[in-house]
Amino acid sequence: MTGLPKPGDEFGGYKIEKLLGQGGCAAVFQAEQTRTNRKVAIKIVLPHIIEAVAGVAPRFLREIDVVKRIEHPNVIRLFDFGQTDSGLLWMAMELVSGKDLQEVLRAEGRFEPERALHVMTQALSGLAVAHDTQIVHRDLKPSNLMLTDQGVNRDIVKVLDFGIGKAIGADEDKTVQEVTEAFGDALGSPHYMAPELLKREAVGTASDVYSMGLILFEMLTGRPAVEADTIFEVYAKQVYNDIAMPKWLAHSALGPILNKATAKTTADRYGSAKEFLAALQKVDAGSITYVENDEVLTPEPKMPARKSRAGVPTAEKLAPAPVPAKKSPAPRRKKTRKKKAQSQQTALLLLLLAASFILLAIYFLTNT
C-alpha cells in the first residue's frame, strides 16, 4: 500500500490541495471536488491502521453508511466516501472554517456560563440525533467540537469525527461494531473517556454523556476536570474519583447536573444527550456567578466493593473494625487492620496500572 496522497493527487473526483492535520488514526486534507469546485475536507485512514486490522476496508465502508444517518446543523456533514486504487480509505466531509474548542479555551480561558451553555446545548442537540439512531461517538473531547461564526451568529458548533461512532442497535451488522472497537483503541482520549470505556465494559449513549459533562466543566472553570501527572493517574481518577468542583459551581444549579452527567456508573447518569440537554435547558445562566480562586470541594475516592469469594474478604471485612476500649492491644490491632486495608487499596491500584500498561503495549504494537 502506498503512503498518504500529496497536493495535486486526484481520486474519487477530488483533488488534494493541502494537509490540514493528522492524528493517531487518520489524516485530514483540504481538497476540491473537480465537478463542482466545492471545497471539502477529506479524511484518510492511515495506512498502518488498514494493514493492522484484518478486513478493515469493507467494515469501514459499512461504518460510513452508519454515519450517513446523522443529519443535523451541529454535526459535520458527510458527502462521499470510498477506497482508492492503492487501498486507501477516505471520506469527504463539509469543510468548516473556525477553531476547535480546545484552541479557543487555551487562547481565551474559561467561558461565562451563558456562553458555555450556548455551546453545550448545540453540541448535545447534534449528538441527540446520533443517539436516537443508537450511534455512540466514543471520542468526544474539546478538539472534536468546532466553533464557527456565521454572519452575526457567534460560536456555531459542529461536532467532528463521528467516523468512529459505534453502532449499538440490535439491527446493526456486527462487523460495524468490530471496526469501531479497533479504531477506538487508537483514538480514545483518556482525559475525557467514561470509566466503562477504560474498563472495556459495555459502551452506550451514557458514555458520551460522561465526556460531554467533563467538557462542560472545562468550559465553566477553564481547567480540565481530570488532571494528573501520568496516564495511570488519569485512569485511576476516571474510574474512582468524582470531579472536584469549585464551591461556586457545586452550589449552583449546574452542580447537581454535572454530578449526574459525570457519575461513575451509567445507571446513575443521564441516559442520552437528549436527557442531558433537557436538564441544561432548565438552567438560568444569569443565576450562576463565577468566583475567582474559590474553595474546591474534593470528594473522597470511591474504591470498589469486592466480591466475596472463598478465602477472600469483602470490602466491608477489610474496613477497620471497632475495637473494645478496655483491651490494651486494641490500638495496635486497629492500626494493623488499617494498614491491611490500605495495602489492599494499593494492590487494587497497582492492578489498574498493570492493566493500563497492557493497553498501552497493545496500542504501540498495533501502531508500529
Side-chain angles (χ1 to χ4, degrees):
M1 181 179 294
T2 60
L4 292 172
K6 302 179 292 296
D9 289 352
E10 293 188 36
F11 56 84
Y14 297 91
K15 184 176 181 179
I16 297 295
E17 294 185 340
K18 62 181 179 180
L19 176 68
L20 297 177
Q22 182 172 328
C25 179
V28 180
F29 295 83
Q30 178 176 307
E32 182 178 82
Q33 188 176 32
T34 54
R35 182 172 56 85
T36 64
N37 297 325
R38 177 170 58 185
K39 301 293 184 183
V40 300
I42 290 190
K43 186 173 187 176
I44 299 178
V45 180
L46 298 180
H48 74 268
I49 293 290
I50 300 174
E51 293 165 356
V53 183
V56 70
R59 298 176 187 179
F60 175 85
L61 298 177
R62 287 177 180 145
E63 174 95 351
I64 301 309
D65 273 335
V66 173
V67 178
K68 281 171 59 180
R69 302 176 190 173
I70 308 171
E71 294 185 13
H72 191 277
N74 297 120
V75 176
I76 287 290
R77 184 180 172 193
L78 173 65
F79 296 129
D80 201 0
F81 62 94
Q83 186 171 20
T84 68
D85 293 339
S86 63
L88 291 176
L89 298 167
W90 61 273
M91 55 183 172
M93 304 171 291
E94 176 184 4
L95 180 64
V96 178
S97 60
K99 294 182 179 180
D100 65 56
L101 180 58
Q102 179 174 279
E103 293 178 279
V104 176
L105 286 170
R106 285 177 177 173
E108 302 179 20
R110 69 172 187 85
F111 288 5
E112 291 298 325
E114 184 176 4
R115 187 182 183 191
L117 288 175
H118 173 65
V119 170
M120 181 55 57
T121 52
Q122 290 181 79
L124 289 173
S125 294
L127 192 60
V129 173
H131 286 182
D132 283 346
T133 53
Q134 294 300 294
I135 296 172
V136 181
H137 190 291
R138 292 172 59 94
D139 193 30
L140 289 162
K141 53 190 174 183
S143 61
N144 274 338
L145 299 182
M146 182 72 75
L147 302 186
T148 69
D149 294 336
Q150 296 178 1
V152 297
N153 297 316
R154 187 187 179 205
D155 290 339
I156 303 302
V157 177
K158 295 284 186 178
V159 181
L160 309 178
D161 224 352
F162 261 103
I164 64 165
K166 180 181 179 182
I168 60 172
D171 60 337
E172 291 301 334
D173 193 311
K174 285 294 290 182
T175 53
V176 176
Q177 297 189 29
E178 290 167 10
V179 71
T180 49
E181 291 291 344
F183 281 106
D185 286 342
L187 287 181
S189 307
H191 285 81
Y192 301 94
M193 287 171 71
E196 61 271 16
L197 260 167
L198 294 172
K199 295 189 289 184
R200 315 289 287 184
E201 295 176 350
V203 174
T205 52
S207 304
D208 283 347
V209 168
Y210 183 90
S211 301
M212 295 301 275
L214 297 185
I215 293 170
L216 178 56
F217 175 92
E218 189 166 342
M219 284 193 286
L220 291 164
T221 63
R223 64 175 179 83
V226 179
E227 295 181 292
D229 295 328
T230 69
I231 192 64
F232 311 113
E233 289 180 76
V234 171
Y235 278 36
K237 286 187 174 183
Q238 289 287 39
V239 174
Y240 298 124
N241 293 33
D242 291 332
I243 57 176
M245 286 193 212
K247 193 173 181 178
W248 68 265
L249 180 56
H251 292 173
S252 75
L254 284 172
I257 294 175
L258 281 170
N259 278 329
K260 186 175 178 66
T262 60
K264 297 305 176 182
T265 59
T266 56
D268 293 330
R269 259 178 249 151
Y270 297 109
S272 67
K274 186 178 291 185
E275 292 181 21
F276 190 10
L277 175 61
L280 291 179
Q281 288 174 329
K282 298 175 183 177
V283 175
D284 175 14
S287 67
I288 302 170
T289 304
Y290 174 80
V291 178
E292 188 76 32
N293 298 320
D294 198 14
E295 177 188 356
V296 175
L297 306 178
T298 306
E300 290 293 324
K302 296 177 180 178
M303 301 306 289
R306 292 170 174 262
K307 293 182 180 179
S308 180
R309 301 181 204 165
V312 180
T314 62
E316 291 77 8
K317 292 181 181 177
L318 286 171
V323 182
K326 292 183 179 180
K327 295 184 179 180
S328 56
R332 185 172 182 179
R333 286 177 61 195
K334 185 174 182 180
K335 185 175 181 181
T336 301
R337 292 186 182 185
K338 183 176 180 181
K339 285 184 176 180
K340 186 183 293 185
Q342 290 173 340
S343 297
Q344 292 286 347
Q345 292 179 353
T346 301
L348 186 60
L349 182 57
L350 288 174
L351 283 173
L352 179 63
L353 295 182
S356 302
F357 273 120
I358 294 171
L359 287 174
L360 287 174
I362 293 172
Y363 168 76
F364 284 116
L365 286 173
T366 56
N367 285 274
T368 55

